[in-house]
Amino acid sequence: MTTTTQAVRSTGAFGTAHTRVEGRDKVTGAARYAGDFPFDELAHGWLVLSTVARGRIRTVQADPVLAMPGVLAVLHHENAPRVTTDYMSVVGPPDPALGLFQHDQVPYVGWPVALVLAETSEQAREAAEALVVDYDEEPHDIAFYAGHPDAYLPAGSPAGPAEVVKGDVEDALARSAVVVDEEYTTPEEHHSPLEPHAATARWEAGRLDVVDSNQSTVWVAGELAKLFSLDPAAVRVRSEHVGGGFGSKGVRPHQVAAAMAATLLQRPVRVVLTRRQMFSLVGYRSPTTQRVRLGADPDGRLRALDHQALSLTSTVHEFVEPSAAFGRPLYDADAHRTAFRVVRLDLPTPTFMRAPGEAPGSFALESALDELAEKCGLDPIALRVRNEPAVGPVSGLPFSSRNLLACFDEGARRFGWADRDPRPGVRRDGRWLLGTGMAAATFHVGIGPSTAAVTAEADGTYTVRINATDIGTGARTALTLVAAESLETEPARVRVHIGDSDLGAAMFAGGSMGTRSWAWAVMRAAADLREQLALGGDIPPDGITARSDTAEAVAALAKKERHSFGAQFAEVAVDVASGEVRVRRLLGIFAAGRIVNPLTARGQFVGGMIWGISMALHEEAVRDRASGAQVGPDLANYHFSANADVPAIEADWVDDPDPDDPVGIKGIGEIGVVGTAAAIANAVWHATGVRHRALPIRPDRVLTAGGSSSA
């Protein structure tokens, strides 16, 4: 096996626009999603969720439901098969919610308490809604607020240590001529991908076969094997097409329920979540409260950067939203402290959601930077440029590449930033106040080990097999282009097979690491295959195959700060009568390594920026204090940006080469949302002269803020 990625002759595949290879299938309905696969004797399961926030199940009145038409069984804590959750998964201890129906305890509203199985989906739903579950309720606490006395520093998170300190922050603040000390808040937010979560499980030839919608088939297969004490080789999970995930499509109760029921009934069982159930069962972004303190000299040079964040988790499983980590690679300061704390409440467990940590963290820090620029009398871009670091501000490590200043320059030129009047509240268009704002963006660059196989077929085509997952990002197309470039052939001669745990271990689709990780494995296998083909000879009927495993290569990567960067620019109009905020223009310029496919890449950037509009102006889940339940957990009541809310959006990128990176891809799935809400909030201040430190910026908040200096 070759250990380096050889230089190849460009065929024009990598870096040129290509439509999705599966695009026609998707728009014609030929593409099959997890809930579309037909199976003989298919039964349907419907989950029943708790209606109390804390307590114990007293009785499950199953007999009346079992007498209903088509009902096959009712699983609950008194009759369900046993599973084990005493193991470590790829992301730590498993969520106890995966231990379905193992006890009578209820830790939050929406906890699965039963599964009704029936011949049809309609029969299962009718019976599930008729099932009576009696509870012994206990007092609950869902109150999330800054300064919560039970908040604690967790052991850490995927973003690193919970607290990182450099220098004496308090002393640096005391010596600062200009200080910003403000609190910023973001609400509970939900993923709600277009395709609901769905899984179909069956036993075939002694193996548990699961067709599912997820972000990693090998992850789900491994978890199911551990939960049911099966040989890993006895579980296969397939995920052919996925209609969005955003972090929510990991291992969830519906997959366990389908596998449990298929084992019990010895026939295929499908469990599909409703939109309302997804608001309880598949995670969400925790609300945050964030205190940012900045201290600077009169010229804007930072002496102190202190970012303290709080998020929530459930009482049964810890998840941390690492909002304060956003600023660790971004700005230089003599003293630097970032910390994120968490508090346990009687609520469902949050999870990863597009740009976890960076999305809410960027709103707080980039808003505070704008406030500091105002106090110093500086242009917001000039302030950020003044605090540009030469190396990692906290780590001291060199950057692999850092082209944030190029993003500022190109963005400012294209947006017309130089013509901006810095005074707030002076531009008007009829009843609309106009303003512009900007913010910086960054997202870490990661990579995970993956395996791949590339086969030269006898007919002159190539087949790539890698257990990647395309969650709508265009990964299948990107890997086709990567393979074509690496093999020095045309994309039309490459077939890519993904989304099947039998294809071997590979990185999950998340953290903007998927395409980068898979591409490296494909490139290494292709390089080895080219060496074999260079020896000459005919290709046998079953082809010639080369395989790769990047585990050792990933572990040996040079220790550097690897990040993508970006600059977000927004123009807003604020209705002085209604308080409505409209985004008129949005521009994002990014430095994100090599761009594999400009067509789908631009879609990813723009999609993230649209999400940023939603975050800034619309998205907010509200809970009833008395019951702990969400108010309106559906897409009629959970507001998000619709077509009329989305203006002309432009996304582009600057060259961002990394000379010592054999892949060069940095990942683009998440950075588009980072900084967008802050740019919009800063533009609202510029339009009105009023700061909004709580998201979303609703019309009622605009009206009640009036002409005050804070919202």
Side-chain angles (χ1 to χ4, degrees):
M1 168 68 72
T2 183
T3 57
T4 60
T5 301
Q6 300 179 357
V8 298
R9 174 180 57 82
S10 175
T11 63
F14 202 119
T16 57
H18 287 260
T19 58
R20 296 171 188 261
V21 295
E22 81 284 8
R24 179 177 292 274
D25 286 346
K26 285 184 172 178
V27 299
T28 60
R32 295 185 299 180
Y33 291 83
D36 296 335
F37 285 74
F39 293 102
D40 293 336
E41 297 186 310
L42 178 65
H44 296 264
W46 204 277
L47 283 166
V48 179
L49 309 185
S50 72
T51 57
V52 302
R54 186 176 177 183
R56 291 183 178 273
I57 301 169
R58 186 167 64 248
T59 58
V60 177
Q61 299 182 30
D63 288 345
V65 166
L66 289 168
M68 295 178 69
V71 174
L72 302 169
V74 177
L75 290 178
H76 50 84
H77 69 282
E78 293 181 341
N79 64 5
R82 298 296 93 184
V83 298
T84 179
T85 56
D86 185 20
Y87 65 88
M88 292 296 289
S89 75
V90 295
V91 292
D95 188 338
L98 301 179
L100 281 183
F101 320 135
Q102 301 298 292
H103 53 75
D104 65 353
Q105 299 173 45
V106 174
Y108 51 74
V109 169
W111 178 265
V113 295
L115 176 72
V116 176
L117 297 166
E119 295 288 351
T120 70
S121 176
E122 293 80 7
Q123 290 170 334
R125 179 169 193 165
E126 183 180 8
E129 292 176 349
L131 182 68
V132 175
V133 180
D134 300 308
Y135 303 92
D136 292 322
E137 292 191 56
E138 300 171 2
H140 66 268
D141 178 13
I142 67 166
F144 176 76
Y145 54 89
H148 198 292
D150 296 330
Y152 65 94
L153 277 172
S157 80
E163 184 171 35
V164 174
V165 180
K166 181 188 79 171
D168 189 330
V169 169
E170 300 303 330
D171 179 68
L173 284 168
R175 292 187 291 106
S176 297
V178 184
V179 174
V180 169
D181 183 352
E182 298 293 349
E183 182 178 289
Y184 304 85
T185 65
T186 61
E188 178 181 322
E189 300 169 351
H190 286 260
H191 310 74
S192 295
L194 185 63
E195 178 203 17
H197 294 58
T200 305
R202 61 174 180 161
W203 284 91
E204 185 178 42
R207 299 182 77 195
L208 177 63
D209 180 44
V210 181
V211 177
D212 183 39
S213 178
N214 61 58
Q215 294 178 230
S216 171
T217 60
V218 70
W219 179 17
V220 174
E223 298 284 299
L224 291 175
K226 292 171 183 174
L227 283 161
F228 291 97
S229 301
L230 299 171
D231 185 323
V235 182
R236 182 189 187 190
V237 175
R238 291 175 288 155
S239 195
E240 185 174 326
H241 295 287
V242 181
F246 312 117
S248 72
K249 286 185 175 174
V251 187
R252 298 296 175 193
H254 70 288
Q255 299 144 334
V256 182
M260 184 180 286
T263 303
L264 176 71
L265 298 182
Q266 286 299 297
R267 58 189 283 192
V269 175
R270 176 170 295 155
V271 179
V272 180
L273 300 185
T274 67
R275 188 67 62 182
R276 293 177 69 90
Q277 288 176 335
M278 286 165 57
F279 276 79
S280 297
L281 288 178
V282 302
Y284 57 97
R285 198 194 303 280
S286 166
T288 71
T289 66
Q290 303 176 61
R291 185 186 182 189
V292 180
R293 296 191 297 169
L294 303 175
D297 292 335
D299 65 355
R301 190 183 70 84
L302 283 172
R303 287 185 175 270
L305 189 158
D306 184 30
H307 189 172
Q308 310 272 334
L310 177 67
S311 63
L312 67 81
T313 191
S314 69
T315 60
V316 294
H317 190 59
E318 182 182 89
F319 180 84
V320 181
E321 183 77 19
S323 304
F326 169 73
R328 291 176 182 173
L330 204 49
Y331 300 115
D332 206 0
D334 297 336
H336 213 287
R337 178 171 62 196
T338 52
F340 39 85
R341 292 174 172 79
V342 68
V343 60
R344 295 185 182 277
L345 297 173
D346 299 314
L347 290 168
T349 308
T351 194
F352 304 100
M353 185 166 167
R354 198 174 194 175
E358 281 88 350
S362 63
F363 165 66
L365 184 57
E366 290 300 301
S367 295
L369 261 291
D370 209 64
E371 298 202 45
L372 182 64
E374 178 194 356
K375 285 193 172 187
C376 291
L378 287 172
D379 178 86
I381 295 179
L383 175 73
R384 288 165 172 81
V385 171
R386 188 152 298 167
N387 293 286
E388 175 76 358
V391 296
V394 175
S395 69
L397 295 173
F399 288 99
S400 61
S401 63
R402 182 183 172 103
N403 289 321
L404 177 57
L405 299 188
C407 295
F408 287 156
D409 290 344
E410 179 65 9
R413 182 188 67 80
R414 291 171 63 162
F415 195 74
W417 187 262
D419 299 329
R420 177 183 191 256
D421 186 333
R423 296 173 299 163
V426 298
R427 291 178 60 208
R428 196 171 187 130
D429 178 10
R431 72 177 193 271
W432 300 91
L433 293 171
L434 307 181
T436 54
M438 59 80 56
T442 187
F443 196 80
H444 61 87
V445 174
I447 191 167
S450 297
T451 60
V454 181
T455 301
E457 307 289 359
D459 64 0
T461 63
Y462 298 88
T463 302
V464 176
R465 295 176 177 85
I466 184 167
N467 193 16
T469 307
D470 192 334
I471 58 174
T473 58
R476 184 185 272 103
T477 307
L479 292 176
T480 300
L481 302 182
V482 168
E485 192 78 2
S486 301
L487 294 165
E488 298 185 353
T489 190
E490 301 302 320
R493 295 176 63 194
V494 177
R495 296 187 298 270
V496 175
H497 295 283
I498 63 173
D500 186 338
S501 61
D502 278 358
L503 295 173
M507 185 61 185
F508 56 78
S512 295
M513 293 185 284
T515 299
R516 172 175 162 81
S517 304
W518 307 321
W520 197 358
V522 170
M523 291 165 68
R524 287 169 65 89
D528 193 9
L529 180 61
R530 284 172 50 231
E531 287 186 356
Q532 295 184 45
L533 295 176
L535 298 176
D538 294 333
I539 298 176
D542 57 351
I544 298 175
T545 298
R547 304 180 189 279
S548 68
D549 185 339
T550 63
E552 289 185 13
V554 167
L557 273 178
K559 192 73 173 176
K560 288 189 177 182
E561 286 262 5
R562 281 190 160 83
H563 293 264
S564 54
F565 295 93
Q568 305 276 15
F569 294 82
E571 179 180 14
V572 305
V574 182
D575 190 323
V576 296
S578 69
E580 179 187 7
V581 178
R582 286 275 183 181
V583 179
R584 289 194 169 186
R585 283 192 298 151
L586 206 55
L587 168 68
I589 302 292
F590 303 95
R594 297 181 71 192
I595 301 300
V596 179
N597 184 357
L599 184 64
T600 52
R602 187 166 280 107
Q604 284 294 291
F605 288 135
V606 169
M609 293 164 71
I610 293 172
W611 197 325
I613 297 174
S614 265
M615 180 180 176
L617 305 180
H618 304 291
E619 294 193 48
E620 180 180 27
V622 179
R623 291 187 178 271
D624 179 74
R625 285 285 184 92
S627 67
Q630 275 197 31
V631 178
D634 52 51
L635 297 188
N637 294 279
Y638 181 79
H639 295 171
F640 56 91
S641 291
N643 288 351
D645 301 300
V646 178
I649 298 182
E650 190 177 359
D652 213 334
W653 45 87
V654 298
D655 287 341
D656 189 32
D658 186 349
D660 65 352
D661 189 324
V663 187
I665 298 168
K666 285 191 172 181
I668 57 176
E670 281 150 300
I671 194 171
V673 71
V674 180
T676 306
I680 294 170
N682 292 338
V684 171
W685 167 80
H686 187 233
T688 64
V690 176
R691 289 282 176 191
H692 288 267
R693 303 185 184 99
L695 294 184
I697 305 174
R698 303 189 311 252
D700 61 306
R701 287 177 170 167
V702 174
L703 293 177
T704 56
S708 64
S709 60
S710 64

